[in-house]
C-alpha cells in the first residue's frame, strides 16, 4: 500500500523579518514569519548572539500576544467612577491635548507634583531623559520592587551585578552555584549555559528554598530557609578563611583589602587613610604609598600607627565563631557538615583546579602579567536572595565570597558585560533640585557616595514622593516604586497631582497590599475629589490597572513598534562583546494605538521640553525611530553604537547616520563590537580593556578601581548615624542605620521574622513559561499555567492532614486568603510558595469571567503589607530593605490551616468591566 506523502516542512510564510523578542527580558533574536501580512510563526535567529537560534515557549507564543483579544484599541477617557471600567474612546489629538492640559501648567508651578514611574519596560534612558527635562524628581522604573538589592549590592562591591550585567564563563567554569534564581530570569542564556556545563560534566549547585526550574536540574540542592542565604554565605567565607583558602594575591592587587582603615576616634574613624591628594594608602615594602603607584605590592597584613588593613578587619569578623557552620546551621536550615563540604568543594575547584591562559596583560599600575590565572568557580543570583530586608547585605556577602576566591573577571569565573564594570564613582549621584518650568538639576537615579548625595529638602525631609535616597533607604538606586501610591495617598512627604504610569500593573500583581492599593486609587477627599487627582496610564492590554486610570494612552505590542536595547540602558552585551539591538514594526498595528516611546516624544515636544524641541520650539524628533537615530547623549554617542557616522563605519562614537536603523535591520536587528584579544578578562584593571572602552565611548577616560570589600560610602552613612557630619539623620533612624550600613557585609534577621506568631515563610516566583503579567492572557501559555496552587512541603502537608484537592486558609498579619494546595517534597520544610501573577481579576485581560485564572488563581500580594507593623517609635517604616528600599516581598510570614473548599479562591473582588475597551 502506498504511504501517504506528508510535507514535514510546509511553507509557513511568504516573508521573514528579523527583530528582538520581548516575551521576557533576555532579548533573543527572532525570525518573524509573515503570511499575507500576518504573523504566522516565530523562530529563533541562529545568528543572534543572545540565543543562537534557541527559542523558548514564551518566545514562540508571541503570536498570541500580537493577536490577544485584550489589546486596547484606542485612547480612552474615563467617564464613570474609577474602577467602573466606564471609558469613552477619544482621538489621539484629544488624548494628548488632555495630557498637555494637565502636565503643562504643573511644570510651571510644581513639577514635583508629577510622579512618573514605569514597569518592566526597556526604555529607561528615554523615560528618565524625559522626566529630567520635565523637571520632576519623581521618576523611576520598577527596579525598587524587583531586584535593586542585586544591582546596588553588586555596584557598591565589584562595580557590576548579576542578572544581565555579567555571566559565568560558561566555557571554563567547573562549579556553578545559583542562589535564589527563579526560572523566569535570564531564561535562554542560563538554559543554554547549563546545557554547556552539563556537556562538559561541570557541577551545578542550586541554593533555593524551592527546587524547581534550574534548581531541579542541579546536581545538588541546598533548600535554604528564606532570608538566611547571607548567613550561609558568611559561614562559607568563615570556612575558607579558617582553611587559608583565599586568593591573597588577587585580594592584595585588585581589591581594597590592603587599604588602611583609620582607627583614630572622630569624624574620620573607619574611613580610608589618604594622602594630601585624597589617594587611599597602603603599605608596600614597609613604606606608606598610594595604592595605585607603579610597582606597589600592597601588604595585606601591615599596620600603620594603629590603622589596620581591610583584610585584618575582614578576617577578624568572619573568623568569629558566630559564623561557624555549627552555630548557624539550624537558622539556615542546612546541616553544618554540608556547609563545610560545600566550602571545601569551593576551595578545591578554585585552587586545585585553577586554570591558566597564556595571555600577557598589563594592569593599571603598569605591572605586566605573563598569564591570566583562573579560578573556575562561578555564581549567579537573583531575587530569592534580594527581595528581603537584608537582601543588600546578602548580595554584598555573595560578591565577597566571589572576591575571596579570586573568581570575578578571571577565567572560569564571573565575567562582566560592557558597559560594566562601572563602580559607583562612574555613575551619577542622584539629583532632586526642582525649579518650576526648568529641567531637574541632573539625573534622578544614581549611587550616593555619602549623606551629601541624599535627596532631602531644606528641612531634611525626603524630596521624592517614594522617599528614595532618604535616611529611610539611602542607597535606593532604582527608586522605591512600591511606596509611590501609598505615599501619594497619604500626602507624605507631600501631595501630588498626576500619577503617570507605564506598563506597571499597580492595581494588581505589582503592588503589595493589593486591596488597599485599589482603595487608595479610588479614595476621595472631603471635597469629593480623588485623593490622587489624576492618573495617566499606558499599557497595550486591558490589565487591572487600566480600570483605575483617568486617561489611557494605548501602547502597541512588541512586534508593532520601534525599541532600542541600548548601551545607555540595558544592552545585549556578552563578556566578549559590547552589543545592542532594536525592535521595529514587523507588522503595522491594526487599531488606533501608538508606541509609548513615540507618544512620550510627542508629549515632550508639545510641552516644549528641552531635549525634545529646538531653540525655536519646533519638535526635534518625528517619533522614536527618529530619536533613536538622531539623539546624542554626548557628542557622537547616541542610543545605538553600530553603523555610526556618515559612512556607517563608526563604532560607539560618530555622527548620527540616517541609515542606521536599516543597517541594523539588515544585520538581524543587532550589532556587536568585540572586545580585543587580551582585554577580555580582568576588565576593571586591564589597561587594554580600559583603553578599548574609552575608544568605543563606554567611558570618557580610563577608570580602573578596586573591588570594595569594605564600603567607604556605607561607613560615611554609619558615621552620620554616630553623630558625625553636617547632614544628620533623625534620631529614630540612627539605630537601624548603624546596623544596616555596616561597611563589611553582615547578616541580620529579616524584619518579617518579627511576626513570630506566623511560623511559615511564603514566597512567590514567576514560572519559566511566563515573565510579564501578560503571560496569562496568552492562549498558548495559559495551557501551561492556568491557575496556581499553593505548594506545601511534606512536613506542613502531613501536620495539616492535607490531601490532593484540598484548600487552605493562609493568614498573615495583613490579611487572609483561601486557596488550593498541592504537595511538593523538594521544598524547604518551613516554606510555602506559589507562582506570581497567574491569578487575574475577573473581567480583565480579555479572559472569560469563569477562567481558572480568575476563579482558582490567586495572589499572595493580598497578604503583604507595604508597611511594617508599628514598633512604638512613632514611625511606620516601609516593608523594604533599609539600605536600598528594595521591596521585601520574601519576608512574608504566614499561618496555614485546612479550610472548606470555597466556590472560588478568596478574596473575590467584583468583576471589572473592560470588555468595551478591547479589540
Ligand atoms: S528567553 Fe525571553 S527573549 Fe528569549 S525567546 Fe524566550 S521569551 Fe523571548
Amino acid at each position: 500500500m502506498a504511504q501517504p506523502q506528508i510535507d514535514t516542512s510546509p511553507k509557513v510564510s511568504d516573508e521573514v523579518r528579523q527583530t528582538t523578542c520581548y516575551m521576557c527580558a533576555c532579548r533573543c533574536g527572532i525570525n518573524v514569519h509573515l503570511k499575507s501580512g500576518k504573523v504566522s510563526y516565530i523562530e529563533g535567529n541562529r545568528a543572534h548572539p543572545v540565543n543562537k537560534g534557541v527559542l523558548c515557549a514564551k518566545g514562540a507564543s508571541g503570536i498570541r500576544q500580537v493577536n490577544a483579544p485584550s489589546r486596547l484599541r484606542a485612547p480612552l477617557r474615563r467617564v464613570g467612577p474609577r474602577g467602573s471600567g466606564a471609558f469613552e474612546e477619544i482621538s489621539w489629538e484629544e488624548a494628548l491635548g488632555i495630557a498637555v492640559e494637565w502636565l503643562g501648567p504643573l511644570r510651571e508651578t510644581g513639577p514635583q507634583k508629577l510622579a512618573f514611574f514605569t514597569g518592566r519596560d526597556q526604555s529607561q534612558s528615554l523615560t528618565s531623559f524625559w522626566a529630567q527635562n520635565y523637571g520632576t524628581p519623581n521618576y523611576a522604573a520598577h527596579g525598587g520592587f524587583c531586584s535593586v538589592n542585586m544591582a546596588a549590592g553588586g555596584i557598591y562591591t565589584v562595580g557590576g551585578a548579576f542578572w544581565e550585567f555579567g555571566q559565568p564563563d560558561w566555557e571554563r567554569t567547573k562549579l556553578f552555584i545559583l542562589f535564589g534564581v527563579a526560572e523566569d530570569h535570564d531564561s535562554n542564556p542560563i538554559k543554554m549555559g547549563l546545557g554547556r556545563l552539563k556537556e562538559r560534566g561541570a557541577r551545578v549547585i542550586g541554593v533555593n528554598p524551592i527546587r524547581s526550574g534550574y534548581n531541579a536540574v542541579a546536581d545538588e540542592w541546598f533548600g535554604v530557609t528564606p532570608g538566611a542565604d547571607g548567613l550561609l554565605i558568611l559561614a562559607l567565607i568563615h570556612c575558607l578563611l579558617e582553611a587559608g583558602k583565599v586568593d591573597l594575591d588577587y585580594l592584595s592587587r585588585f581589591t581594597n583589602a590592603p587599604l588602611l582603615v583609620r582607627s583614630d576616634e572622630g569624624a574620620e574613624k573607619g574611613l580610608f587613610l589618604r594622602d594630601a591628594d585624597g589617594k587611599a594608602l597602603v603599605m608596600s615594602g614597609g613604606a606608606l604609598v598610594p595604592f595605585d603607584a607603579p610597582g606597589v605590592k600592597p601588604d595585606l597584613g601591615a599596620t600603620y600607627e594603629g590603622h589596620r588593613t581591610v583584610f585584618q578587619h575582614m578576617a577578624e569578623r568572619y573568623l568569629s565563631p558566630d559564623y561557624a557552620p555549627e552555630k548557624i546551621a539550624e537558622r539556615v536550615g542546612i546541616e553544618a557538615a554540608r556547609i563545610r563540604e560545600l566550602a571545601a568543594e569551593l576551595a578545591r575547584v578554585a585552587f586545585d583546579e585553577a586554570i591558566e591562559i597564556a595571555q600577557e596583560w598589563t594592569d593599571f599600575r603598569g605591572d605586566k602579567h605573563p598569564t591570566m590565572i583562573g579560578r573556575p568557580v562561578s555564581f549567579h543570583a537573583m531575587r530569592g536572595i534580594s527581595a528581603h530586608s537584608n537582601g543588600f547585605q546578602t548580595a554584598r556577602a555573595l560578591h565577597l565570597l566571589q572576591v575571596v576566591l579570586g573568581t570575578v573577571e578571571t577565567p572560569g569565573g564571573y565575567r562582566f558585560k560592557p558597559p560594566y564594570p562601572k563602580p559607583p564613582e562612574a555613575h551619577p549621584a542622584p539629583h532632586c533640585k526642582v525649579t518650576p518650568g526648568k529641567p531637574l538639576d541632573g539625573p534622578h537615579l544614581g549611587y550616593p557616595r555619602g549623606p551629601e548625595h541624599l535627596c532631602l529638602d531644606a528641612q531634611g525631609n525626603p524630596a521624592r514622593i517614594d522617599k528614595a535616597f532618604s535616611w529611610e533607604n539611602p542607597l535606593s538606586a532604582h527608586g522605591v516604586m512600591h511606596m509611590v501610591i501609598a505615599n501619594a495617598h497619604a500626602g507624605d512627604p507631600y501631595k501630588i497631582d498626576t500619577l503617570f504610569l507605564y506598563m506597571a500593573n499597580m492595581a494588581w500583581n505589582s503592588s503589595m497590599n493589593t486591596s488597599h492599593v485599589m482603595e487608595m486609587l479610588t479614595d476621595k477627599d472631603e471635597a469629593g475629589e480623588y485623593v490622587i487627582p489624576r492618573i495617566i496610564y499606558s499599557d497595550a492590554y486591558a490589565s487591572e490597572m487600566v480600570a483605575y486610570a483617568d486617561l489611557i494612552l494605548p501602547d502597541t505590542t512588541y512586534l508593532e513598534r520601534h525599541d532600542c536595547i541600548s548601551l545607555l540602558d540595558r544592552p545585549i552585551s556578552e563578556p566578549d562583546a559590547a552589543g545592542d539591538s532594536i525592535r521595529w514594526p514587523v507588522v503595522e498595528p491594526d487599531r488606533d494605538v501608538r508606541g509609548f516611546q513615540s507618544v512620550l516624544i510627542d508629549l515632550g515636544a508639545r510641552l516644549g521640553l528641552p531635549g525634545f524641541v529646538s531653540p525655536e520650539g519646533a519638535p526635534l524628533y518625528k517619533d522614536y525611530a527618529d530619536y533613536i537615530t538622531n539623539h546624542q547623549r554626548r557628542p557622537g554617542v547616541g542610543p545605538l553604537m553600530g553603523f555610526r557616522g556618515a559612512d556607517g563605519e563608526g563604532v560607539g562614537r560618530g555622527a548620527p547616520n540616517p541609515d542606521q536603523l536599516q543597517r541594523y535591520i539588515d544585520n538581524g536587528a543587532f550589532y556587536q563590537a568585540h572586545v580585543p584579544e587580551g582585554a577580555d578578562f580582568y576588565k576593571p584593571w586591564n589597561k587594554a580593556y580600559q583603553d578599548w572602552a574609552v575608544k568605543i565611548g563606554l567611558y570618557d577616560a580610563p577608570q580602573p578601581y578596586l573591588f570594595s570589600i569594605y564600603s567607604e560610602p556605607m561607613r560615611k552613612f554609619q558615621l552620620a548615624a554616630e553623630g558625625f557630619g553636617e547632614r544628620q539623620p533623625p534620631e529614630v533612624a540612627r539605630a537601624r542605620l548603624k546596623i544596616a550600613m555596616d561597611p563589611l557585609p553582615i547578616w541580620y534577621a529579616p524584619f518579617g521574622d518579627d511576626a513570630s506568631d506566623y511560623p511559615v515563610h511564603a514566597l512567590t516566583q514567576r514560572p519559566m513559561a511566563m515573565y510579564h503579567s501578560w503571560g496569562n492572557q496568552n492562549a498558548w501559555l495559559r495551557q501551561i499555567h492556568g491557575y496556581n496552587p499553593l505548594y506545601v512541603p511534606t512536613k506542613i502537608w502531613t501536620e495539616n492532614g492535607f490531601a490532593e484537592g484540598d484548600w487552605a486558609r493562609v493568614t498573615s498579619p495583613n490579611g487572609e486568603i483561601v486557596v488550593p494546595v498541592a504537595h511538593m517534597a523538594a521544598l524547604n520544610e518551613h516554606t510555602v510558595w506559589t507562582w506570581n501573577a497567574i491569578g487575574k481579576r475577573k473581567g480583565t485581560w480579555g479572559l472569560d469571567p469563569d477562567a481558572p485564572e480568575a476563579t482558582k488563581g490567586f495572589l499572595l500580594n493580598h497578604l503583604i503589607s507595604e508597611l511594617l507593623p508599628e514598633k512604638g517609635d512613632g514611625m511606620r517604616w516601609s516593608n523594604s530593605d533599609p539600605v536600598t528600599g528594595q521591596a521585601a516581598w520574601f519576608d512574608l510570614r504566614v499561618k496555614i490551616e485546612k479550610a472548606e473548599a470555597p466556590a472560588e479562591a478568596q478574596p473575590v473582588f467584583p468583576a471589572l468591566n473592560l470588555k468595551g475597551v478591547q479589540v
Side-chain angles (χ1 to χ4, degrees):
M1 199 165 76
Q3 295 294 318
Q5 294 295 311
I6 297 171
D7 180 2
T8 52
S9 301
K11 190 166 156 42
V12 294
S13 56
D14 35 50
E15 189 183 353
V16 179
R17 294 183 167 185
Q18 295 186 307
T19 184
T20 307
C21 184
Y22 193 14
M23 292 297 285
C24 84
C26 292
R27 298 152 301 177
C28 297
I30 49 174
N31 299 337
V32 181
H33 290 252
L34 303 174
K35 198 161 193 175
S36 309
K38 296 236 181 285
V39 181
S40 59
Y41 175 55
I42 299 175
E43 66 175 343
N45 175 359
R46 284 163 198 259
H48 198 278
V50 172
N51 57 321
K52 300 179 175 63
V54 174
L55 194 73
C56 78
K58 303 178 291 269
S61 303
I63 301 175
R64 294 294 172 190
Q65 218 60 47
V66 78
N67 296 323
S70 65
R71 281 169 300 146
L72 299 174
R73 63 178 179 232
L76 299 167
R77 173 169 40 204
R78 181 176 58 77
V79 292
R82 277 193 196 150
S84 67
F87 289 98
E88 65 175 358
E89 290 189 358
I90 55 176
S91 69
W92 274 102
E93 267 317 295
E94 275 180 284
L96 292 168
I98 293 169
V100 169
E101 201 178 292
W102 292 355
L103 298 178
L106 209 55
R107 183 169 189 261
E108 300 305 320
T109 52
Q112 75 281 2
K113 291 187 178 170
L114 168 67
F116 177 35
F117 285 79
T118 70
R120 273 179 156 171
D121 80 301
Q122 296 176 342
S123 53
Q124 289 154 32
S125 85
L126 168 70
T127 53
S128 63
F129 184 69
W130 189 96
Q132 192 182 320
N133 281 299
Y134 182 87
T136 178
N138 295 320
Y139 162 83
H142 79 291
F145 68 67
C146 180
S147 282
V148 65
N149 274 340
M150 298 305 308
I155 296 289
Y156 277 102
T157 313
V158 290
F162 292 112
W163 178 210
E164 65 209 53
F165 310 110
Q167 70 182 37
D169 184 356
W170 296 116
E171 305 309 328
R172 298 177 187 85
T173 202
K174 297 179 183 176
L175 175 61
F176 176 50
I177 308 186
L178 296 128
F179 274 86
V181 184
E183 46 269 38
D184 65 322
H185 271 102
D186 230 345
S187 189
N188 276 349
I190 285 207
K191 283 180 268 173
M192 293 159 64
L194 286 173
R196 294 216 283 283
L197 298 191
K198 297 257 169 191
E199 267 166 29
R200 289 195 291 107
R203 217 161 117 69
V204 178
I205 295 176
V207 181
N208 199 316
I210 305 161
R211 189 168 197 183
S212 65
Y214 309 135
N215 296 282
V217 297
D219 299 297
E220 195 176 352
W221 172 62
F222 286 75
V224 64
T225 299
D229 305 74
L231 207 46
L232 169 62
I233 294 163
L234 295 177
L236 294 171
I237 293 170
H238 171 95
C239 296
L240 292 168
L241 283 166
E242 204 177 47
K245 293 288 188 184
V246 295
D247 191 335
L248 295 175
D249 189 53
Y250 183 94
L251 288 169
S252 153
R253 288 176 188 275
F254 306 132
T255 78
N256 67 13
L259 266 50
L260 291 156
V261 180
R262 292 182 65 148
S263 61
D264 41 337
E265 294 301 326
E268 297 192 79
K269 184 175 181 184
L271 301 182
F272 294 135
L273 193 65
R274 294 178 182 275
D275 67 11
D277 297 329
K279 276 272 165 74
L281 297 167
V282 297
M283 293 295 284
S284 172
L288 190 63
V289 292
F291 77 95
D292 58 351
V296 163
K297 302 265 179 290
D299 185 345
L300 291 171
T303 56
Y304 178 79
E305 295 184 351
H307 311 304
R308 296 187 301 153
T309 61
V310 166
F311 184 76
Q312 291 167 65
H313 286 275
M314 178 182 105
E316 183 179 87
R317 172 168 294 180
Y318 304 118
L319 280 169
S320 155
D322 288 346
Y323 293 108
E326 294 69 21
K327 185 82 185 277
I328 56 94
E330 191 178 336
R331 181 66 189 78
V332 170
I334 294 165
E335 305 83 41
R338 284 192 79 201
I339 298 172
R340 288 199 177 275
E341 276 167 27
L342 180 57
E345 174 83 347
L346 287 168
R348 187 186 62 72
V349 178
F351 299 104
D352 299 351
E353 297 193 24
I355 49 185
E356 198 163 357
I357 295 178
Q359 172 68 56
E360 192 181 72
W361 68 285
T362 304
D363 72 25
F364 65 101
R365 294 187 179 97
D367 289 345
K368 280 201 184 330
H369 303 259
T371 60
M372 293 179 162
I373 310 268
R375 312 270 176 219
V377 177
S378 60
F379 299 84
H380 189 70
M382 207 45 214
R383 195 176 304 134
I385 68 166
S386 71
H388 289 287
S389 48
N390 61 12
F392 174 84
Q393 288 282 7
T394 298
R396 291 245 307 132
L398 185 54
H399 290 300
L400 176 60
L401 175 60
Q402 292 179 292
V403 167
V404 298
L405 288 167
T407 188
V408 182
E409 268 300 321
T410 53
Y414 192 76
R415 307 180 64 194
F416 294 124
K417 302 178 182 181
Y420 293 91
K422 251 169 104 171
E425 299 73 35
H427 292 263
H431 293 76
C432 63
K433 187 165 180 295
V434 170
T435 310
K438 297 271 185 275
L440 202 68
D441 59 336
H444 305 83
L445 304 177
Y447 290 85
R449 266 85 80 189
E452 69 278 16
H453 289 145
L454 289 178
C455 291
L456 303 175
D457 67 13
Q459 288 71 47
N461 298 315
R464 291 175 51 111
I465 191 69
D466 59 356
K467 303 189 185 178
F469 308 112
S470 70
W471 293 108
E472 194 168 338
N473 24 242
L475 308 183
S476 33
H478 289 179
V480 188
M481 187 167 177
H482 65 289
M483 292 309 298
V484 171
I485 292 173
N487 292 353
H489 178 260
D492 175 17
Y494 47 78
K495 290 205 171 295
I496 63 162
D497 177 273
T498 302
L499 178 63
F500 187 3
L501 298 172
Y502 173 48
M503 213 176 143
N505 201 16
M506 301 305 287
W508 195 244
N509 56 277
S510 291
S511 280
M512 294 174 163
N513 206 352
T514 310
S515 48
H516 191 212
V517 168
M518 290 185 257
E519 284 165 21
M520 291 189 271
L521 292 171
T522 50
D523 196 18
K524 293 191 172 172
D525 60 19
E526 315 78 54
E529 302 296 331
Y530 285 117
V531 174
I532 299 175
R534 289 162 171 161
I535 301 177
I536 305 175
Y537 184 49
S538 178
D539 199 326
Y541 305 103
S543 66
E544 286 84 355
M545 186 61 215
V546 166
Y548 292 89
D550 307 316
L551 177 67
I552 302 289
L553 306 173
D555 194 12
T556 63
T557 73
Y558 72 103
L559 294 177
E560 300 165 318
R561 62 191 297 143
H562 278 99
D563 262 326
C564 181
I565 296 113
S566 166
L567 278 161
L568 301 179
D569 202 328
R570 296 168 63 176
I572 56 153
S573 299
E574 297 286 310
D576 291 325
D580 59 16
S581 60
I582 63 161
R583 292 189 193 96
W584 58 289
V586 294
V587 285
E588 289 298 326
D590 56 358
R591 56 215 183 281
D592 194 14
V593 299
R594 296 182 185 175
F596 176 70
Q597 290 72 19
S598 288
V599 169
L600 204 58
I601 286 165
D602 189 345
L603 260 181
R606 288 172 192 244
L607 289 165
L609 303 187
F612 295 88
V613 290
S614 68
E616 296 74 39
L620 279 180
Y621 309 107
K622 191 159 64 66
D623 54 19
Y624 193 34
D626 194 16
Y627 172 93
I628 294 169
T629 309
N630 291 306
H631 172 72
Q632 294 186 70
R633 195 52 65 90
R634 312 195 303 278
V637 176
L640 290 173
M641 72 167 163
F643 309 113
R644 299 195 67 83
D647 57 2
E649 297 302 315
V651 180
R653 296 180 189 269
N657 169 12
D659 296 328
Q660 190 182 34
L661 285 178
Q662 190 56 51
R663 295 288 299 272
Y664 268 78
I665 292 169
D666 296 342
N667 196 51
F670 69 93
Y671 184 85
Q672 279 195 303
H674 288 272
V675 174
E677 207 175 323
D680 36 8
F681 291 101
Y682 298 95
K683 294 187 184 104
W685 321 290
N686 186 333
K687 199 170 170 314
Y689 177 80
Q690 297 281 321
D691 291 346
W692 176 79
V694 171
K695 188 172 152 215
I696 70 158
L698 300 181
Y699 317 144
D700 284 334
Q703 49 181 35
Y705 63 96
L706 300 176
F707 286 165
S708 287
I709 290 172
Y710 185 98
S711 169
E712 200 178 44
M714 296 185 73
R715 176 60 193 151
K716 288 181 180 170
F717 284 98
Q718 218 181 25
L719 275 169
E722 290 167 11
F724 296 102
E726 274 177 30
R727 266 192 163 174
Q728 283 292 298
E731 286 309 312
V732 71
R734 288 187 194 276
R736 76 180 215 156
L737 282 167
K738 281 182 201 169
I739 296 168
M741 300 304 280
D742 196 308
L744 280 175
I746 51 158
W747 183 86
Y748 51 85
F751 300 157
D753 283 14
D754 291 350
S756 50
D757 294 343
Y758 297 85
V760 180
H761 297 264
L763 304 178
T764 54
Q765 58 182 25
R766 289 294 280 159
M768 195 169 280
M770 289 182 193
Y771 177 78
H772 303 280
S773 56
W774 70 44
N776 265 85
Q777 59 161 354
N778 187 298
W780 291 352
L781 298 178
R782 290 182 63 212
Q783 296 175 45
I784 304 175
H785 297 282
Y787 80 100
N788 52 315
L790 185 78
Y791 292 100
V792 176
T794 306
K795 185 162 176 275
I796 299 176
W797 185 266
T798 315
E799 281 169 2
N800 284 276
F802 283 128
E804 208 175 317
D806 276 353
W807 289 61
R809 173 172 293 101
V810 186
T811 317
S812 78
N814 198 55
E816 176 183 302
I817 58 176
V818 182
V819 299
V821 289
H823 176 219
M824 181 173 177
L827 179 56
N828 174 282
E829 63 176 12
H830 308 295
T831 304
V832 295
W833 75 281
T834 192
W835 301 116
N836 189 32
I838 303 290
K840 300 288 185 230
R841 188 160 164 188
K842 281 192 178 157
T844 60
W845 297 100
L847 297 174
D848 288 342
D850 59 352
E853 287 85 351
T855 53
K856 283 175 89 176
F858 67 92
L859 299 181
L860 273 191
N861 306 47
H862 307 307
L863 300 180
I864 306 173
S865 176
E866 76 279 22
L867 295 171
L868 293 172
E870 303 250 15
K871 288 184 188 314
D873 59 6
M875 281 286 292
R876 282 304 300 275
W877 300 100
S878 71
N879 183 8
S880 309
D881 186 297
V883 180
T884 62
Q886 151 109 47
W889 300 97
F890 291 178
D891 276 8
L892 177 63
R893 301 292 288 263
V894 300
K895 283 194 273 207
I896 179 168
E897 60 185 323
K898 204 162 164 174
E900 281 292 309
E904 297 183 352
Q906 305 288 313
V908 177
F909 296 91
L912 291 171
N913 180 12
L914 293 175
K915 275 263 179 286
V917 303
Q918 303 165 172
V919 292

